[in-house]
Amino acid sequence: MKTESEYYILSAKHTQKREPYLTWWGADCRGYTWFKSRMGVYSEGEAKEIATNQDNYMVPKILVDNYFIKDISEGREGFAIPNLPIVLKALGFKTVRANRSGVFIQAI
């Protein structure tokens, strides 16, 4: 029996150049987060509805789950995805250019 794929939604618009982690859609389409415990997990249909422009990208959960690291800085504790070019590339993206408003992520 085939199960439906699950996705996280990467927010390119809310991922800032100098932030240590990538920014993802929160659970139930409520807000944005760095941390896995607050990230939304979406079906393929839901993800396609959200990822309709270059601000939001659907990324397979099974792929993203390989890149979480533990963060315990500044009183935070959780798992997040580093905002690094090598990680973006592994997730299927490239950094086109960085500007003040964000990293400007583009699908490869």
Side-chain angles (χ1 to χ4, degrees), residues 57 59 63 85-94 105-108:
Y57 294 98
V59 187
L63 177 62
I86 194 167
V87 174
L88 285 166
K89 184 176 181 180
L91 295 177
F93 300 96
K94 65 180 178 178
I105 298 166
Q106 183 180 51
I108 295 176

Side-chain angles (χ1 to χ4, degrees), residues 74-89:
E74 300 177 30
R76 298 185 300 244
E77 185 167 345
F79 292 87
I81 304 293
N83 185 4
L84 299 171
I86 194 167
V87 174
L88 285 166
K89 184 176 181 180

Side-chain angles (χ1 to χ4, degrees), residues 23-88:
T23 303
W24 302 86
W25 276 55
D28 300 318
C29 299
R30 294 179 188 219
Y32 304 93
T33 185
W34 290 341
F35 297 104
K36 183 177 184 177
S37 63
R38 295 185 220 134
M39 287 168 59
V41 177
Y42 299 94
S43 69
E44 185 173 358
E46 292 168 325
K48 284 181 177 179
E49 286 182 24
I50 295 167
T52 58
N53 58 44
Q54 293 183 357
D55 290 338
N56 302 300
Y57 294 98
M58 55 191 279
V59 187
K61 180 182 182 298
I62 195 167
L63 177 62
V64 175
D65 284 346
N66 293 310
Y67 294 94
F68 283 101
I69 63 168
K70 189 170 186 174
D71 175 81
I72 55 170
S73 62
E74 300 177 30
R76 298 185 300 244
E77 185 167 345
F79 292 87
I81 304 293
N83 185 4
L84 299 171
I86 194 167
V87 174
L88 285 166

Side-chain angles (χ1 to χ4, degrees), residues 7 10 97:
Y7 294 85
L10 174 64
R97 63 181 158 81

